Amino acid sequence: ILTILGNSAVLATAVKRSSLLKSPELLTINLAVADIGMAISMYPLAIASAWNHAWLGGDASCMYYALMGFLFGVCSMMTLCAMAVIRFLVTHSSKSNSNKITKNTVRILITFIWLYSLLWAILPLVGWGYYGPEPFGISCTIAWGKFHNSSNGFSFILSMFLLCTVLPALTIVSCYLGIAWKVHKAYQEIQNIDRIPNAAKLERKLTLMAVLISVGFLSSWTPYAAASFWSIFNSSNSLQPILTLLPCLFAKSSTAYNPFIYYVFSKTFRQEIKQLQCCCGWQVHFFSTNSSAENPVLMMWSG
């Protein structure tokens, strides 16, 4: 519910102010699409299976669930990686060079992200890697347990781990460390805190928001990754069902965090949310916010 409502609000806000969107904001929209896509395509089936105390359907529904999870998961990871790279380029470039990141460039990047994610998602369907049920039996994913005795499965998980997890994560960390160093050096050159330009303060605020989005995603998936890699080299029966279920649920919660981060850091987003109407016509109310119009550059994601 939180995922669908929160990310729907993000998409509705983006549609309302589509003419004002900056090119990097398209990545924020893409991340919201991936989050809401995961919630709609996967969560109802998993919830129904939980109430049933067993997986609903057979192998076909299991492969569908695992395929959707892998597709949207890789898409989210690569979108976060693209966000970090663009923020790094914007921070380390002059204003004229940063304007070269056009909407068409970002659209091409988003298309590549989806094609890349789709490629990895369909590989287990064509024989490289496997999909299968989770150890607790009410959801499906990559069949981690088959990899410790299968060279085919092990090569897939190793390649996937490097190209879809390690390299994007290292890129994200490296980009934000580079941004932090740049901001630190800039602040060192300004002795009086009151003289810091508004643009520098905005840059720091946007960077902090981007870092929190990435940290939320990576931290929520880390316990699941640890439990999954344990299953590669050990029998899944060596872990109690609760130890495999809780990391899975925590990983799925990653789709609900971002709208709250936008709400905290963007006055534009808060003001737009207040104006959204529920389908029944009620006004959506939040905690007190500044009703004054915000500078156009202060958006939920600004170049």
Side-chain angles (χ1 to χ4, degrees):
I1 292 174
L2 290 176
T3 297
I4 293 176
L5 291 180
N7 287 287
S8 295
V10 173
L11 296 179
T13 301
V15 170
K16 184 177 179 181
R17 48 188 298 276
S18 57
S19 61
L20 301 175
L21 289 177
K22 302 295 184 181
S23 52
E25 288 185 285
L26 298 178
L27 290 171
T28 304
I29 298 172
N30 190 58
L31 187 60
V33 170
D35 288 343
I36 200 171
M38 181 178 290
I40 293 176
S41 64
M42 298 172 58
Y43 296 174
L45 186 56
I47 293 170
S49 297
W51 282 103
N52 188 53
H53 297 276
W55 179 252
L56 291 176
D59 292 339
S61 63
C62 184
M63 288 187 178
Y64 158 79
Y65 185 94
L67 174 70
M68 292 295 103
F70 201 13
L71 171 65
F72 291 121
V74 174
C75 181
S76 297
M77 185 64 169
M78 300 310 297
T79 301
L80 292 172
C81 182
M83 283 181 173
V85 172
I86 288 181
R87 283 234 53 79
F88 179 83
L89 294 177
V90 169
T91 303
H92 287 74
S93 301
S94 62
K95 183 177 180 180
S96 59
N97 290 332
S98 64
N99 291 334
K100 294 181 180 179
I101 304 177
T102 63
K103 286 187 177 181
N104 286 334
T105 301
V106 177
R107 289 190 184 103
I108 293 173
L109 179 60
I110 290 174
T111 301
F112 171 78
I113 289 173
W114 281 103
L115 291 177
Y116 184 81
S117 304
L118 182 61
L119 172 65
W120 280 101
I122 64 176
L123 285 176
L125 300 181
V126 296
W128 193 28
Y130 311 96
Y131 285 140
E134 300 269 17
F136 51 85
I138 57 173
S139 69
C140 295
T141 186
I142 299 171
W144 306 96
K146 292 184 179 181
F147 296 158
H148 67 280
N149 56 6
S150 169
S151 59
N152 175 34
F154 187 80
S155 63
F156 171 77
I157 193 60
L158 181 61
S159 301
M160 184 273 293
F161 178 67
L162 291 176
L163 298 178
C164 298
T165 304
V166 174
L167 288 181
L170 289 178
T171 301
I172 291 171
V173 172
S174 300
C175 286
Y176 289 133
L177 286 177
I179 294 172
W181 177 253
K182 176 77 172 182
V183 173
H184 173 70
K185 296 297 290 184
Y187 272 59
Q188 275 189 332
E189 297 174 359
I190 305 175
Q191 300 296 327
N192 189 348
I193 191 68
D194 295 328
R195 297 176 56 191
I196 296 177
N198 290 332
K201 295 178 181 179
L202 175 60
E203 183 69 29
R204 183 178 65 174
K205 186 176 183 179
L206 293 172
T207 300
L208 178 59
M209 182 176 71
V211 169
L212 289 177
I213 292 172
S214 299
V215 168
F217 182 86
L218 294 175
S219 61
S220 61
W221 280 94
T222 297
Y224 179 77
S228 299
F229 272 86
W230 175 270
S231 300
I232 295 176
F233 303 101
N234 302 273
S235 172
S236 58
N237 295 328
S238 61
L239 293 176
Q240 294 294 326
I242 192 67
L243 295 180
T244 56
L245 173 61
L246 290 180
C248 183
L249 294 177
F250 187 49
K252 288 180 171 61
S253 71
S254 65
T255 58
Y257 300 151
N258 295 340
F260 292 97
I261 296 175
Y262 303 147
Y263 185 80
V264 170
F265 283 88
S266 174
K267 287 194 292 185
T268 297
F269 185 60
R270 289 197 299 269
Q271 291 167 1
E272 293 291 345
I273 286 296
K274 289 184 66 177
Q275 298 175 13
L276 290 178
Q277 299 288 332
C278 294
C279 58
C280 59
W282 292 350
Q283 182 75 27
V284 180
H285 292 283
F286 285 87
F287 297 107
S288 60
T289 57
N290 190 350
S291 58
S292 61
E294 185 185 2
N295 190 298
V297 300
L298 188 51
M299 299 174 178
M300 61 177 146
W301 189 268
S302 172

